[in-house]
Amino acid sequence: MDRPLRVLVIGCGSLGLLYAVRLSSGGCSVVLKCRREEQVEAINTYGVRVKHPGGGLEEARITAVLQPPWGQFDVVLVATKAYDFPAALPEAINASRRDGLIVSLQNGLGCLEELEERVGAERSAAAVTYYASMRVSDNTVLFMGGTRVVLGQRSRRRHPLLGALADALRRGGWRAEVVDDIDAWRWDKLIVNAAINPVTAILGVPNGKLLASSHALQLCRCIIGEAVEVAEKAGVRLPRDPYKAFIETVKATRGNRSSMLQDIEARRRTEIDYINGALIAIATRMKMALPCNSIVYTLVKALEEVLTR
Ligand code: PAF
């Protein structure tokens, strides 16, 4: 392609802002679609800022809009919460060019499946993100570290723009890989999230604090063990040792407050139904019980109820 890749990022939470900056640094022409007028104004006036814990500050000029133009984007990244994905999908489809790529960035299971149903598997991809961030204002995120982003489609498909997207992320400074079997990595991250997110949300601690408690680690190990059994029974071939993946992610994001803890602290709905809830639903269909996943699921649902009502 002899022009910059045109990318729309739907969702102006921490992940959406972070992707927008990386892709803009990687040479893409990026537009952010936000929900609130004040946020659009803040981004258009001051740009998007990424603060690094060591003190560095990056600034990128990115256009934010409430309504993106139709049919113009080569790639649309949907960076909403999983439960907002269905509502964001019609806009993603309208904004994408007819043969464009649409990428789901959500944690857990369910969104890529829904995307494939709506636009077909050829144009549907997922990005599994092992980087962490926290939004500190409408136009500023604090980067909290991480290890990589893995991109791909199901059943060894390879949309022509997937490689260009990964190249742009690499130019923007991330370790980005395109894989043949994205489901293996979606499950890898699902298992990492199933342990880190609810346990940090219940304890109210940053990810790294899990390493300070043998009881917290025991609970995480139990959640992971149950999830691995489900994955094996569902025929998923995990790409690496899930407990090692969990430890690696905890260490790389030790100062981060997990997205589920951030949701609980902001008294928002969490993604528990798409993470431990999704595992429990699959296990129930296979007549398996997941006691550790069920207890953290119930506690997070209880927290949601007492804090948001
Ligand atoms: O959901 C999150 O918070 C993130 O996926 C991760 C990588 C677990 C870091 O906190």
Side-chain angles (χ1 to χ4, degrees):
M1 197 179 282
D2 52 5
R3 58 166 176 79
L5 200 64
R6 290 189 191 123
V7 182
L8 174 69
V9 179
I10 299 184
C12 299
S14 60
L15 196 65
L17 296 182
L18 198 59
Y19 265 91
V21 172
R22 294 277 65 83
L23 288 167
S24 165
S25 312
C28 298
S29 159
V30 182
V31 173
L32 265 164
K33 186 262 168 314
C34 310
R35 266 203 302 225
R36 286 179 302 108
E37 200 155 347
E38 314 84 79
Q39 189 171 21
V40 166
E41 244 181 73
I43 292 171
N44 289 338
T45 310
Y46 303 108
V48 180
R49 295 176 179 155
V50 180
K51 285 186 175 173
H52 291 264
L57 180 70
E58 281 176 86
E59 281 176 328
R61 282 277 155 204
I62 293 170
T63 303
V65 297
L66 287 173
Q67 275 182 332
W70 284 25
Q72 288 197 4
F73 294 94
D74 304 310
V75 178
V76 178
L77 299 183
V78 186
T80 61
K81 291 283 181 190
Y83 47 78
D84 285 330
F85 187 83
L89 207 42
E91 194 147 47
I93 295 168
N94 288 336
S96 167
R97 65 179 220 214
R98 274 163 58 143
D99 54 351
L101 179 67
I102 303 183
V103 186
S104 150
L105 301 187
Q106 285 66 30
N107 278 332
L109 298 179
C111 297
L112 178 61
E113 290 74 4
E114 190 169 349
L115 178 59
E116 285 188 343
E117 250 174 54
R118 291 292 296 278
V119 300
E122 286 71 24
R123 294 178 58 202
S124 304
V128 181
T129 315
Y130 296 86
Y131 290 104
S133 54
M134 295 196 272
R135 206 181 77 193
V136 290
S137 75
D138 274 348
N139 67 320
T140 310
V141 283
L142 188 56
F143 179 67
M144 299 303 296
T147 53
R148 66 169 86 173
V149 53
V150 181
L151 303 134
Q153 297 178 270
R154 293 164 97 191
S155 312
R156 309 179 78 83
R157 286 188 179 82
R158 202 52 79 90
H159 188 283
L161 294 173
L162 201 55
L165 181 64
D167 286 346
L169 286 168
R170 277 194 290 271
R171 283 195 304 273
W174 268 0
R175 189 175 150 211
E177 299 156 52
V178 178
V179 295
D180 283 337
D181 180 12
I182 195 63
D183 274 345
W185 288 95
R186 289 170 74 217
W187 274 80
D188 176 270
K189 176 84 189 294
L190 171 72
I191 295 174
V192 167
N193 283 134
I196 296 179
N197 293 28
V199 180
T200 53
I202 293 161
L203 296 178
V205 296
N207 297 352
K209 272 279 176 195
L210 295 176
L211 301 172
S213 162
S214 62
H215 289 89
L217 285 177
Q218 202 180 329
L219 178 57
C220 290
R221 202 184 263 283
C222 178
I223 292 169
I224 293 168
E226 290 176 1
V228 169
E229 272 184 47
V230 178
E232 275 167 5
K233 221 166 164 187
V236 177
R237 291 178 60 170
L238 292 169
R240 56 185 176 155
D241 180 303
Y243 192 73
K244 280 193 190 148
F246 157 77
I247 294 288
E248 182 183 294
T249 308
V250 167
K251 285 185 176 163
T253 62
R254 60 174 65 242
N256 192 49
R257 300 178 89 73
S258 74
S259 54
M260 199 169 282
L261 174 56
Q262 291 180 47
D263 289 339
I264 288 293
E265 287 176 334
R267 295 172 180 251
R268 283 190 299 254
R269 185 178 166 190
T270 73
E271 295 185 311
I272 193 81
D273 286 311
Y274 293 81
I275 302 174
N276 307 78
L279 279 168
I280 293 165
I282 298 169
T284 307
R285 287 199 290 276
M286 298 192 300
K287 304 208 177 334
M288 292 168 71
L290 307 183
C292 291
N293 279 274
S294 298
I295 193 73
V296 292
Y297 175 82
T298 307
L299 283 168
V300 171
K301 291 304 273 187
L303 273 175
E304 274 184 4
E305 284 164 2
V306 295
L307 294 176
T308 62
R309 283 182 197 166

